Amino acid sequence: MKSQTTTLDQFSYDNKTVRNFAIATIIWGIVGMLVGVIIASQLFEPAMNVTQYGTFGRIRPLHTNAVIFAFVGNAIFAGVYYSLQRLLKARMFSDFLSAFHFWGWQLIIVAAAITLPLGITTSHEYAELEWPIDIAITLVWVAFGINMFGTIIKRRERHLYVAIWFYIATFVTVAVLHLTNSVQLPISFLKSYYVYAGVQDALIQWWYGHNAVAFFLTTPFLGLMYYFLPKMANRPVYSYRLSILHFWALIFIYIWAGPHHLLYSSLPDWAQSLGVVFSIMLIAPSWGGMINGLLTLRGAWDQVRENTILKFMVVGITTYGMATFEGPMLSLKNVNAIAHFTDWIVAHVHVGALGWNGFLTFAMLYWLVPRIFQTSLFSERLVKTHFWIGTLGIAFYAIPMYISGFTQGMMWKQFTPEGTLQYGNFLDTTLQIIPMHQMRALGGTLYLIGAILMAYNLFKTMAQGSLLANEPAEAAPLEVIVSEKEIKGLHWHSWIERRPIQLLIGSLIMILVGSLVELIPTFMVKSNVPTIAAVQPYTSLELEGRDIYIREGCVSCHSQLVRPFRSETERYGEFSKSGEFVYDHPFLWGSKRTGPDLHREGGKYPDSWHYHHMREPASMSPGSIMPAYEWLYEQSLNTSQTQAKLKAMKALGVPYDDVQIKNAVSDLEAQSKEIQARLAEEKIKVGADKEIIALIAYLQRLGTDISKK
């Protein structure tokens, strides 16, 4: 006979780590949003580019890293650490690992905040941090995984709730993405080159970039939604079967969709087509999550009228639905032809980021902080004010950016009846959209004000309460022995819901299928990237100039990819070929055209034009919003690593010979003097060792290896 009495285990939940991550979320959120408002303002007021460390190109990646990995990242960890313990009825596996995770993550963020304004960057979007920081990220992520799975193993609840499925999928997929995208050959402590080049590098980057959005900004937040929304509304999840279906479909399909960022590029057509097909399919599982979230509130909409925290959740889930419908639509080639490189993409991204990630984070913090501090919110009125200011902020941000994006896409493609470009000067478009950029900055400012109100409200809440650092709890121990009858009676998915390792392996298989199908042929089948005999490696001076281009973040505003459209070949020249990029470590195709494409820039203007343009952009392009780069005329080019850079490139397959490597610095100096002499002919005096000379050399090389029409 089985005993009717069970001794309950006494334990406590760790709320201190949750508190720490919550505070970090608030602080870094304000920092990231403030930088966002600054860079938004720089796009209509160039004078706001203060010093070389505060230009748009250098602090734009600071903004993206701050909001994604500092604000959203800390929010994920706060929510996971709070929900995981309660879903498993167990304290986190290791207090040491919890502390290591928290402080390690904050140090990584600080390292990013220091290195990015200094121009220390790999240039890969959302992965700009150099190799030592990548290693630190790996160590901290592994610590998080050990802590999570250690907690799962010692759990007192056999069944793994749906939120935990999403946490597991997030952990394993982010690990695969980060490790694959971070394969670099170090040159020095803070300089490296990607092993991948050109088309292959582009595919790896956007396989990573798209799925960073999927598995850092989406799947963990779906997990948080599945825990916190039922708690807030006191309602069960609408459909557990739907959660099963959309979980597996989402993680399987999402991983294939990365190539839709590279439509009409030099990427092989078969890869582009796969990206489009799976992007359209992605609507179903994405909306499965949205529907399950909104219908969880069935019978509770009267609460939504009164409960502002639920309002945040409803708007957040709705914007998730909007963004995940728009994303597949943007992957259609006829839509992408207009939208890509424009502000339309900026609007799309921020509807998801501000609405889905921002509002869910705000709701979670408003619900969570009073509970761990054993008090009530300091001010419900401030919560309501925050909601409406934040909602207005999203509207004032997104709507002008949509208008701006449509305007850009149409103006770039407009021809006159005579067959010439109606807006042949790229600046015509730039000047046309400045009012929309001003409105966007207003929207961002409103959103920031809302976040500041939240910070004030939550810090006052903390001050009036007392942190319950170790929350007492009790639960029955997990029975190890399960009867054969009980096993036979399980639904097939209930079987895997009880087995975390099998769930991990299943998730890994799901995300590896699409990854391998897209990546392996692009790397292994040579016909996917046909070479061009005329394409030669960069000279040592051009390579140094390219590194300056990367350091200054020029790729944030200028693409280097001419698509096969008449409007682009008329404006820029011959469309780009995959073989032209075989020596580009990393690729620099870009994702936004604030300025014109530069892939055919070489030889278009004399050296003197570039010299004056970099020093005083408006003197060459009246109305330009580009900042001046005075420091390039004062700083001497550092050639101490030039030989090491050529050696590294040779190791990566770039055909430099030993003589070129040995003479790298002397060849660099000779080419510098040639440019100096050409500038002197136009009465321009500049030292041959200045950084501007190297940048001019690089710009003049772009697109000149093949003849232009």
Side-chain angles (χ1 to χ4, degrees), residues 382-446:
L382 282 178
V383 178
K384 293 179 181 179
T385 304
H386 177 195
F387 172 77
W388 290 111
I389 289 179
T391 303
L392 282 173
I394 295 173
F396 273 96
Y397 190 111
I399 294 171
M401 285 293 95
Y402 280 120
I403 296 171
S404 176
F406 301 153
T407 303
Q408 286 172 305
M410 296 304 180
M411 288 182 72
W412 291 346
K413 292 182 175 294
Q414 188 68 35
F415 281 85
T416 65
E418 291 75 27
T420 59
L421 286 168
Q422 184 166 340
Y423 304 102
N425 185 346
F426 190 92
L427 268 172
D428 292 340
T429 309
T430 303
L431 297 174
Q432 185 71 29
I433 62 175
I434 282 179
M436 274 74 86
H437 279 258
Q438 292 169 332
M439 290 184 68
R440 184 263 293 266
L442 172 62
T445 302
L446 288 172

Side-chain angles (χ1 to χ4, degrees), residues 682-704:
E682 299 193 49
K683 312 299 184 187
I684 297 173
K685 291 184 179 182
V686 61
D689 64 335
K690 300 306 178 187
E691 290 183 336
I692 186 63
I693 298 292
L695 184 59
I696 290 172
Y698 173 63
L699 293 173
Q700 292 289 41
R701 173 64 186 277
L702 290 175
T704 58

Side-chain angles (χ1 to χ4, degrees), residues 452-467:
I452 293 171
L453 289 177
M454 178 194 71
Y456 173 77
N457 200 1
L458 290 180
F459 285 134
K460 292 291 285 186
T461 300
M462 295 177 193
Q464 75 182 14
S466 175
L467 175 66

Side-chain angles (χ1 to χ4, degrees), residues 255-334:
I255 207 81
W256 295 76
H260 75 215
H261 291 265
L262 300 169
L263 300 184
Y264 294 109
S265 73
S266 301
L267 187 72
D269 285 343
W270 65 265
Q272 296 183 39
S273 298
L274 274 177
V276 172
V277 169
F278 279 89
S279 296
I280 299 301
M281 292 168 62
L282 196 54
I283 294 176
S286 297
W287 274 43
M290 178 197 69
I291 290 168
N292 222 7
L294 292 179
L295 291 184
T296 294
L297 294 171
R298 71 201 185 287
W301 287 98
D302 56 320
Q303 294 185 53
V304 178
R305 285 196 301 271
E306 304 298 328
N307 189 331
T308 310
I309 295 176
L310 282 178
K311 285 188 174 74
F312 274 109
M313 293 294 287
V314 168
V315 172
I317 296 168
T318 303
T319 55
Y320 169 67
M322 293 165 60
T324 52
F325 176 78
E326 184 185 23
M329 294 301 101
L330 286 168
S331 73
L332 295 171
K333 279 197 163 186
N334 55 344

Side-chain angles (χ1 to χ4, degrees), residues 549-563:
Y549 183 97
I550 291 171
R551 182 191 75 191
E552 300 301 337
C554 302
V555 71
S556 293
C557 292
H558 295 281
S559 61
Q560 287 187 25
L561 180 74
V562 182
R563 296 176 294 176

Side-chain angles (χ1 to χ4, degrees), residues 196 200-201 203-204 518-526 528:
Y196 320 112
Q200 294 159 341
D201 190 38
L203 179 58
I204 287 286
E518 289 182 343
L519 299 181
I520 289 178
T522 308
F523 280 82
M524 302 301 291
V525 181
K526 291 186 177 180
N528 280 314

